[in-house]
Amino acid sequence: MPVSSFRRACIKHYMDKIDKIEPDEVSIRELVSKSKSAARYVKSKRLILIWFSIAGILLGIIYSIFETPTYKAVSTFVLEESGHGGSLGLGQFSSLASLAGIDIGGGSEKGLFQGDNILELYKSRLMIEKTLLTPVIINDKKQLLIERYIEANNHWSIWDKKIENVNFDKNPKMFSRYQDSIIRDIVKYFNKHLLVVSKPDKKLSIISVEIKFKDEIFAQLFNQTLVQNVNDFYIQTQTRKTSQSVQVLQRQADSVRNILDSSIGKVGATNDANPNPNPILKSLLVPYQKKQIDVQANSAIYSELMKNLEISKISLRQETPLIQLIDEPILPLDVDRVGKILGALIGLFAGLLFGLLYLAVGRFRLFVKNS
């Protein structure tokens, strides 16, 4: 067979194969052809893409100008871990503490809110609600933080117009279901959008509390109040048992001291009643000796109580955690907003995307119309 005839036969064989391709299969040739056709279509409509891009840039710049700025209030503090510096300096008191029934073994156990627990405490409803219901002075006017927050969010769709007439200035236990639902929604919104509590470095004990809000004064005051409330609650919880022991011992010591003072007074009165007793009559010394025994017994009891009280105070000082504030929000706060350049870039991208979508819809309508 001649070469030309063989070549024609091969070409015919492959053309027959192409013709036998199923309709739902797309060949590379068709894909390239459609891509070139789409590119030509987009190129012919580039003026539309340019207008969409310009519109997107303008809208992005306008949005950056008129966007409500968000203020960021950040507090950072260091928390001393429980057990640091525990038993040093307390070894000499261990025997006395065992007699008093007080454990000052150095606080080797972990604290109740140690580690990530204190982070969750900041996000709890208890602390956020307590902070929102804290009265503050704003522009020489006493106002609850929740009232200031509602004023800045009166457009929220989850609340109706009656929210303006709701009074939160009373005991939270007496709140209605409607008031509780409002606070519940605020707490959820805070944890989801506004409040960020974290440890910037997992190896350190530094905690960061960040609040973002469009009201600069509210952001600062809420951040400061929340940190103060949580830290106070943390200290009170960590030292509650020892503090109660100190209070009990203090009351007992004061009571014994009053009895001791009374006994000393009775000794003096008994001595004044019989200043020169006859040494032969021993019975005359009995009242004085009884009062003297009371004084000695009360003195011994008072001495032990004071010893135990001082040991408890030392233990209380050791258990009181150290919370050192590093940074606190100071006006003016940092502003978190979209800049003009970033707004223009975002608008350009969005404009191109909508422009391509517009052309795709137009091409599809043309295809449907022709078919």
Side-chain angles (χ1 to χ4, degrees):
M1 181 184 292
V3 177
S4 59
S5 299
F6 177 75
R7 183 180 299 174
R8 285 195 297 271
C10 290
I11 294 174
K12 186 176 182 301
H13 174 72
Y14 282 109
M15 291 301 294
D16 291 340
K17 274 191 170 184
I18 293 175
D19 293 338
K20 292 179 181 180
I21 295 178
E22 296 181 2
D24 57 344
E25 296 181 358
V26 179
S27 65
I28 297 178
R29 183 184 300 176
E30 291 177 348
L31 183 62
V32 172
S33 176
K34 290 181 179 180
S35 300
K36 290 182 178 179
S37 176
R40 287 193 299 270
Y41 178 75
V42 171
K43 186 176 180 181
S44 65
K45 303 294 184 179
R46 60 181 178 274
L47 187 61
I48 296 177
L49 289 179
I50 292 174
W51 281 112
F52 268 96
S53 300
I54 294 175
I57 292 173
L58 292 177
L59 290 175
I61 295 175
I62 293 173
Y63 174 80
S64 65
I65 294 175
F66 293 97
E67 176 202 13
T68 302
T70 301
Y71 298 94
K72 182 170 65 175
V74 182
S75 293
T76 57
F77 59 92
V78 61
L79 173 65
E80 182 188 48
E81 297 287 352
S82 176
H84 290 178
S87 59
L88 295 176
L90 291 179
Q92 55 185 327
F93 298 105
S94 59
S95 59
L96 296 176
S98 62
L99 292 175
I102 301 171
D103 181 15
I104 55 173
S108 58
E109 297 181 356
K110 292 185 177 181
L112 180 62
F113 296 115
Q114 189 176 10
D116 294 337
N117 290 343
I118 193 171
L119 303 184
E120 294 302 320
L121 181 61
Y122 272 93
K123 301 176 183 179
S124 66
R125 169 171 177 150
L126 174 66
M127 291 293 102
I128 296 178
E129 178 180 350
K130 183 178 180 181
T131 303
L132 289 171
L133 299 178
T134 300
V136 294
I137 304 298
I138 303 177
N139 298 327
D140 297 330
K141 179 184 177 182
K142 187 176 180 181
Q143 188 179 29
L144 297 178
L145 282 173
I146 191 172
E147 295 175 351
R148 177 83 177 191
Y149 179 77
I150 291 174
E151 288 179 0
N153 290 277
N154 53 10
H155 63 279
W156 272 29
S157 59
I158 61 174
W159 297 330
D160 53 33
K161 295 182 179 179
K162 295 181 181 179
I163 187 66
E164 300 177 357
N165 300 322
V166 177
N167 181 20
F168 292 93
D169 192 12
K170 61 180 180 180
N171 188 350
K173 295 181 180 180
M174 304 298 294
F175 283 171
S176 64
R177 289 172 58 90
Y178 182 60
Q179 290 171 309
D180 288 335
S181 65
I182 293 174
I183 294 179
R184 179 200 61 199
D185 293 335
I186 294 177
V187 171
K188 289 182 179 179
Y189 187 78
F190 265 75
N191 286 327
K192 188 175 181 179
H193 300 286
L194 305 182
L195 181 62
V196 178
V197 185
S198 62
K199 296 179 70 174
D201 192 336
K202 299 298 182 181
K203 298 180 181 179
L204 302 178
S205 298
I206 297 179
I207 297 175
S208 173
V209 181
E210 177 183 307
I211 180 74
K212 291 182 179 180
F213 195 61
K214 58 186 178 181
D215 188 334
E216 185 178 24
I217 301 297
F218 175 85
Q220 181 198 30
L221 293 178
F222 183 87
N223 185 287
Q224 293 175 339
T225 308
L226 178 63
V227 171
Q228 185 65 42
N229 288 339
V230 173
N231 291 346
D232 290 344
F233 180 81
Y234 172 77
I235 293 174
Q236 292 173 5
T237 304
Q238 291 290 83
T239 61
R240 178 172 297 173
K241 291 183 178 179
T242 308
S243 178
Q244 291 174 350
S245 298
V246 170
Q247 293 175 3
V248 171
L249 288 172
Q250 186 66 60
R251 287 196 298 268
Q252 290 177 346
D254 293 340
S255 177
V256 173
R257 178 57 187 268
N258 293 331
I259 296 174
L260 178 61
D261 292 342
S262 176
S263 299
I264 294 173
K266 291 179 180 180
V267 169
T270 303
N271 192 25
D272 291 341
N274 193 6
N276 297 309
N278 190 342
I280 299 176
L281 302 175
K282 300 297 184 181
S283 60
L284 297 177
L285 298 176
V286 173
Y288 176 81
Q289 291 175 347
K290 287 183 176 180
K291 301 300 181 184
Q292 194 69 26
I293 292 174
D294 291 341
V295 170
Q296 293 174 357
N298 289 326
S299 297
I301 296 174
Y302 182 73
S303 177
E304 288 299 320
L305 285 173
M306 290 302 299
K307 188 186 301 181
N308 296 339
L309 178 60
E310 292 303 318
I311 294 174
S312 296
K313 289 181 178 180
I314 293 174
S315 179
L316 178 60
R317 287 194 294 268
Q318 291 293 325
E319 291 181 4
T320 301
L322 173 62
I323 300 178
Q324 180 61 51
L325 187 65
I326 301 175
D327 291 320
E328 62 179 347
I330 300 176
L331 298 179
L333 300 179
D334 293 336
V335 182
D336 189 6
R337 66 185 307 171
V338 178
K340 294 181 181 178
I341 296 178
L342 180 59
L345 292 176
I346 295 175
L348 174 62
F349 177 77
L352 285 173
L353 184 62
F354 279 105
L356 291 174
L357 182 62
Y358 175 80
L359 294 180
V361 173
R363 185 69 179 270
F364 178 75
R365 288 180 176 178
L366 183 62
F367 174 77
V368 172
K369 182 179 181 180
N370 293 335
S371 61

